[in-house]
Amino acid sequence: MDGGILSQDEIQALLSSMDLSENPEGTEKAEGGEPKEDAAPAANEDTDALLTPVEKDAIGEIANISLGSSATTLYSLVNTKVDITTPTVMVANWESVVNDYERPCVFIQIRYTTGLNGSNIMILKEHDVKIIADLMMGGDGSNTDGELGELHLSAISEAMNQMMGAAATSMSTMLGKMIDISPPEASLIDLNDVATGGDIDPFLQGNFVKISFRMQIGDLVDSSIMQLYPIDFAKSLYDTFVVTKAPAEPEPSPAPQAAPYAAPAANEQMPQQGNPGQQDMGMGNPQMNMGMQMPMGGMPMMGMPGMNMGYPQMNMQGMNVQPAQFQSFNNNMGGMPAQENIGLIRDVPLDVTVELGRTKKSISEILDFAPGTIIELDRIAGEPIDVLVNGKFVAKGEVVVIEESFGIRVTEIIN
């Protein structure tokens, strides 16, 4: 050290001899003397910056109308009353989904193909999926034993396909443009086996919009359902919604045009100058005085025969007025069409179908079909069969054999 000034070598020696185990200012010290890393800020710490309350309300209204249509469609599939509550919209992250939902659960991914660019994910509980699948197959919803298999996933995919299709139709009406989806994809996922949401879909890696609602299916299902939207997709929904709901600007009304001045005709009488009171009463106009009778008191009687109320009279002279004449209409009802008109459509091909009989089966019975299964129809043996042209019932007949082919002998024409 020279003159109280430390050299660079002396500074390095002092730094190397410092006790690095001391707790620096602003660093929390964990047990055992190891410094603890700063806690990461919450993913949804500033949700207003990601999604404003106004945007949340608009997205909630869109979801409410869409889910109402979905509930009606699900009712027709399970033949049981379905109730869906008003949804709640919030910004969430993957940790909140993992903490709030039981596992395993079913993830159903819906992608938009027309009208919107994006996707969303519906999350259902495994037990709820089993109940819905059993009801769709004609059961009473109690057959929920065993593991969730491909049959359950196929059933819930078809249910979601129809439900979200109905929701897309409602959104098309609400947003003013055609919206369509691709067939949903259902998969069973154990949240314990997923490290991050990005392993399922990239938009689940950070913050996203979570729409929660309660679904009740009779006395069988009463649980919370979640629908997840990417932030950008939710904002695009809001922008489209705002543009659709904005009132159209009224078109400016055209400026009034001054009526052109028309010079009076040669035979037209100019109004006489006189007492204004007489002009108001029509005293100065000979046409207005025609047929007016002055009763006692000097006031004219209104509504008397021959009285002209001051409206301009039409000059009928010089106008050619004739009664309207129309060509007679020859109605050929009840007769045969003209032969030349039939000739125009003689070569139009029509589909002729012969229907042997019909029956109805539940989904569970159809899944049991196998080679050798006998299906009983609603037609008695020997009863005439139906002949349909383009799907319209026109005749009855009986089956015949023509060489090695089947044929139909018409026995009755249906009027």
Side-chain angles (χ1 to χ4, degrees):
M1 183 171 65
D2 185 13
I5 300 177
L6 295 177
S7 64
Q8 184 64 32
D9 294 336
E10 292 172 338
I11 293 174
Q12 293 293 338
L14 288 175
L15 291 176
S16 62
S17 63
M18 292 178 61
D19 186 4
L20 297 180
S21 63
E22 293 180 0
N23 182 20
E25 184 179 356
T27 304
E28 186 179 356
K29 197 170 185 180
E31 295 181 1
E34 295 294 334
K36 183 186 296 184
E37 296 181 357
D38 294 338
N44 57 350
E45 187 176 79
D46 189 9
T47 58
D48 287 344
L50 299 175
L51 209 64
T52 64
V54 176
E55 292 173 331
K56 292 179 183 178
D57 293 340
I59 294 170
E61 182 177 351
I62 296 173
N64 190 27
I65 297 175
S66 303
L67 293 173
S69 302
S70 300
T72 304
T73 303
L74 183 59
Y75 167 76
S76 64
L77 294 175
V78 301
N79 198 24
T80 306
K81 183 180 178 181
V82 178
D83 290 326
I84 293 180
T85 61
T86 303
T88 302
V89 181
M90 62 179 298
V91 177
N93 54 20
W94 180 249
E95 286 79 10
S96 63
V97 173
V98 173
N99 295 332
D100 295 344
Y101 229 69
E102 66 181 31
R103 18 196 187 278
C105 52
V106 176
F107 277 60
I108 303 168
Q109 193 164 40
I110 302 103
R111 300 184 184 277
Y112 293 92
T113 58
T114 305
L116 296 174
N117 184 18
S119 64
N120 65 80
I121 293 177
M122 185 85 74
I123 305 179
L124 302 175
K125 296 179 181 179
E126 179 186 16
H127 183 68
D128 297 342
V129 171
K130 291 180 179 180
I131 293 176
I132 294 174
D134 186 47
L135 291 173
M136 291 178 62
M137 295 178 186
D140 57 359
S142 60
N143 185 17
T144 58
D145 297 333
E147 296 182 355
L148 193 72
E150 290 296 329
L151 185 60
H152 298 92
L153 295 178
S154 298
I156 198 63
S157 294
E158 177 59 26
M160 284 297 158
N161 188 27
Q162 298 193 31
M163 291 172 62
M164 299 309 296
T169 302
S170 297
M171 292 174 65
S172 299
T173 304
M174 181 169 41
L175 301 180
K177 61 179 179 179
M178 179 64 183
I179 297 176
D180 200 3
I181 62 170
S182 62
E185 302 173 1
S187 56
L188 180 65
I189 294 179
D190 190 347
L191 299 181
N192 292 325
D193 299 336
V194 179
T196 62
D199 297 338
I200 301 174
D201 197 286
F203 82 85
L204 297 177
Q205 185 69 37
N207 292 321
F208 47 82
V209 178
K210 181 176 74 171
I211 303 175
S212 304
F213 56 93
R214 179 183 176 189
M215 182 175 69
Q216 293 176 299
I217 304 178
D219 299 330
L220 301 171
V221 174
D222 186 0
S223 62
S224 177
I225 309 296
M226 283 194 297
Q227 194 172 12
L228 310 181
Y229 283 178
I231 296 289
D232 295 340
F233 178 71
K235 286 185 173 293
S236 66
L237 269 181
Y238 169 77
D239 294 338
T240 306
F241 179 78
V242 169
V243 171
T244 305
K245 293 298 181 181
E249 295 183 0
E251 296 183 358
S253 58
Q257 298 292 332
Y261 171 76
N267 59 351
E268 184 177 350
Q269 296 183 0
M270 298 295 293
Q272 298 180 2
Q273 300 292 331
N275 192 338
Q278 293 181 352
Q279 292 182 12
D280 293 340
M281 297 299 296
M283 300 300 292
N285 193 339
Q287 294 182 357
M288 290 192 63
N289 292 330
M290 293 176 60
M292 291 187 68
Q293 298 180 4
M294 299 296 292
M296 294 181 64
M299 295 298 291
M301 290 185 66
M302 308 300 293
M304 297 300 292
M307 176 181 178
N308 187 349
M309 297 301 296
Y311 296 103
Q313 297 181 352
M314 295 181 62
N315 185 8
M316 303 299 293
Q317 298 179 358
M319 296 180 65
N320 185 13
V321 180
Q322 297 179 358
Q325 296 182 359
F326 300 96
Q327 185 179 0
S328 62
F329 177 71
N330 184 15
N331 190 357
N332 195 22
M333 296 294 293
M336 294 297 294
Q339 187 68 22
E340 58 272 14
N341 293 336
I342 288 293
L344 295 175
I345 61 174
R346 284 184 179 276
D347 295 332
V348 175
L350 301 176
D351 293 330
V352 179
T353 307
V354 177
E355 187 174 279
L356 184 61
R358 296 186 179 188
T359 187
K360 290 184 178 181
K361 297 291 184 182
S362 64
I363 295 178
S364 59
E365 292 173 325
I366 293 175
L367 293 175
D368 292 336
F369 282 179
T373 301
I374 297 177
I375 303 174
E376 183 179 357
L377 304 178
D378 58 356
R379 188 68 58 89
I380 301 175
E383 185 178 353
I385 61 176
D386 298 337
V387 179
L388 299 92
V389 177
N390 274 16
K392 184 176 179 59
F393 180 35
V394 298
K396 291 185 178 181
E398 59 183 5
V399 180
V400 297
V401 177
I402 305 174
E403 295 182 355
E404 297 181 356
S405 302
F406 284 112
I408 302 297
R409 178 186 291 117
V410 176
T411 58
E412 181 183 357
I413 300 296
I414 305 301
N415 292 328

